[in-house]
Amino acid sequence: LQLFDFVVGLHETLSDITRGYLNFAREKKQTEPSVEKVIADDERLYRSIVFLTVMAEIDKTFFEFNKAMRETKGVPSPQSNYIVGDLKRLVGFLKFQKEHNTVRDEPFNEMMDNSFRAIDCIEGKRELPLKDMTPEEKTTYKGVITPEGKRHATFQEVFKDNHEVILKVVATSEEAWRKSYQPVITELMAISQAAQAPKPDDGKGNA
């Protein structure tokens, strides 16, 4: 939690500085499409990685909460209350990402919405989604079955499905970022090396 708190805050400060320089460059008409793209791609990659790591931690912490509640037969205890506090902080990190997010494409925002739907389920604000039953489950399932022949998903299934959605966004984000980042950093290194290279002597003792 301390690491998340540090990284999330620090990265947002750096992002604000970057956006400030970018806006200044736009006003002066000094921007380059390649730089604007790598900044946008970096934003998408960073936000998606935050959702990947924090949602995995929420999954683990929620499992610990359920274990603590089972041990006390459903009665809240100091331990379960402490875990609830951790869950609230983790959810807060994701709400912070959504608030400051500048990514607008549909797959990314559907990933965010899907994650918050999963959070609504563990907070009791939303019913667990319905799932079609497998042929085997139709004969062995002992839980509640809807008139349409569906069952409610388990929390484990909700987290697993959401994890797969996030992974797809991370994969596309990383691929796009690599393609835009590599040419920019290569050009930057070439400029830097050229600036540091010794200048030829002009024959008068001047370099």
Side-chain angles (χ1 to χ4, degrees), residues 46-199:
Y46 166 73
R47 303 285 182 199
S48 60
I49 288 175
V50 171
F51 269 83
L52 178 69
T53 53
V54 174
M55 280 302 298
E57 194 67 22
I58 288 175
D59 184 3
K60 185 178 73 173
T61 306
F62 184 62
F63 174 81
E64 293 172 355
F65 170 76
N66 284 328
K67 181 173 180 291
M69 291 294 285
R70 285 195 300 271
E71 290 173 352
T72 59
K73 295 180 172 53
V75 179
S77 65
Q79 182 183 6
S80 65
N81 291 337
Y82 184 84
I83 297 173
V84 168
D86 287 348
L87 279 170
K88 288 180 177 179
R89 288 185 64 188
L90 289 165
V91 172
F93 293 137
L94 297 188
K95 289 181 177 179
F96 184 85
Q97 299 305 310
K98 187 173 184 179
E99 179 183 349
H100 291 83
N101 168 54
T102 61
V103 183
R104 296 291 177 262
D105 67 84
E106 181 63 21
F108 179 88
N109 283 282
E110 176 58 27
M111 177 271 293
M112 283 202 307
D113 293 342
N114 195 66
S115 295
F116 281 107
R117 284 194 289 268
I119 291 170
D120 283 346
C121 288
I122 69 174
E123 291 180 342
K125 298 177 181 177
R126 182 191 297 264
E127 284 188 348
L128 289 164
L130 294 172
K131 292 181 74 72
D132 292 325
M133 299 178 66
T134 64
E136 181 182 353
E137 286 177 333
K138 290 179 180 179
T139 59
T140 61
Y141 187 70
K142 304 298 183 183
V144 176
I145 301 175
T146 69
E148 296 79 17
K150 297 178 181 289
R151 65 169 177 82
H152 285 285
T154 64
F155 285 112
Q156 289 82 0
E157 289 172 329
V158 168
F159 278 113
K160 181 178 181 294
D161 291 345
N162 186 59
H163 182 74
E164 292 175 355
V165 170
I166 298 175
L167 276 180
K168 291 179 182 178
V169 174
V170 171
T172 58
S173 298
E174 183 177 9
E175 182 181 6
W177 177 84
R178 287 185 184 278
K179 289 180 179 179
S180 62
Y181 173 81
Q182 195 57 53
V184 169
I185 197 64
T186 300
E187 182 182 359
L188 178 62
M189 291 175 65
I191 293 172
S192 177
Q193 290 170 359
Q196 296 174 15
K199 298 181 180 179

